Amino acid sequence: MSRRATRPRPTQRPAEPTACPCGLPASYADCCGRLHRGLAPAVTAEQLMRSRFSAFALEDTAYLLRSWHPLTRPAEVDYAPELRWQRLEILGSTEGGPFHQEGTVEFTAHYRERGHAGAMHENSRFVRHEGAWVYLDGDVAADSDPVDRR
């Protein structure tokens, strides 16, 4: 008889979707999936915001950490197992274009938590770091943060 090592079970991540979670009318593979796989960089701050929302929806920790500014990047990303990101609504942006060095994106991210709908409103700041757009920080509306609620 051979001895087989027991492999740890991989963490269950949400399945890769057909439609892109960011809300643009494209497949995930042709939209945010290209950025997640490192095949293309985000050209604008809004494109990075959309790709980060998709990464949160799919629990793509590696991409989230790669696209976070090193000065504000956490050591790890925590996911609430009962929370599912559903839809992204971009409300506005300032600068953040291909020729800018910084920009903001205001958005509402809709989610479901324990069967109840909710929304998080944030105004995020993005900057270029080593030529690439990265998330710096954001101002979250106090009554809308699903992570900080008790």
Side-chain angles (χ1 to χ4, degrees), residues 48-106:
L48 183 67
M49 175 62 241
R50 288 181 177 279
S51 70
R52 286 177 55 81
F53 174 84
S54 293
F56 271 107
L58 299 172
E59 298 181 6
D60 186 343
T61 303
Y63 181 77
L64 289 168
L65 293 175
R66 263 194 333 268
S67 62
W68 216 308
H69 195 283
L71 294 177
T72 57
R73 180 188 305 137
E76 59 186 33
V77 178
D78 292 323
Y79 302 102
E82 64 280 351
L83 189 137
R84 293 289 172 249
W85 296 103
Q86 303 283 304
R87 180 172 60 90
L88 177 65
E89 181 181 4
I90 301 294
L91 303 174
S93 62
T94 61
E95 296 189 336
F99 303 107
H100 295 115
Q101 295 300 308
E102 57 186 46
T104 65
V105 178
E106 182 181 6

Side-chain angles (χ1 to χ4, degrees), residues 19-38:
C20 195
C22 82
L24 291 177
S27 70
Y28 168 74
D30 292 335
C31 193
C32 293
R34 293 177 24 251
L35 280 69
H36 294 173
R37 291 187 308 276

Side-chain angles (χ1 to χ4, degrees), residues 40 72 97 111 134:
T72 57
Y111 60 87
V134 293

Side-chain angles (χ1 to χ4, degrees), residues 106-149:
E106 182 181 6
F107 66 92
T108 300
H110 299 269
Y111 60 87
R112 291 200 67 77
E113 183 177 28
R114 296 185 182 107
H116 300 284
M120 182 186 83
H121 180 242
E122 180 173 332
N123 194 19
S124 294
R125 288 192 316 150
F126 298 88
V127 296
R128 292 215 187 245
H129 177 72
E130 298 178 353
W133 282 110
V134 293
Y135 171 77
L136 182 62
D137 59 20
D139 294 321
V140 178
D143 61 346
S144 73
D145 188 352
V147 176
D148 287 343
R149 287 188 320 205

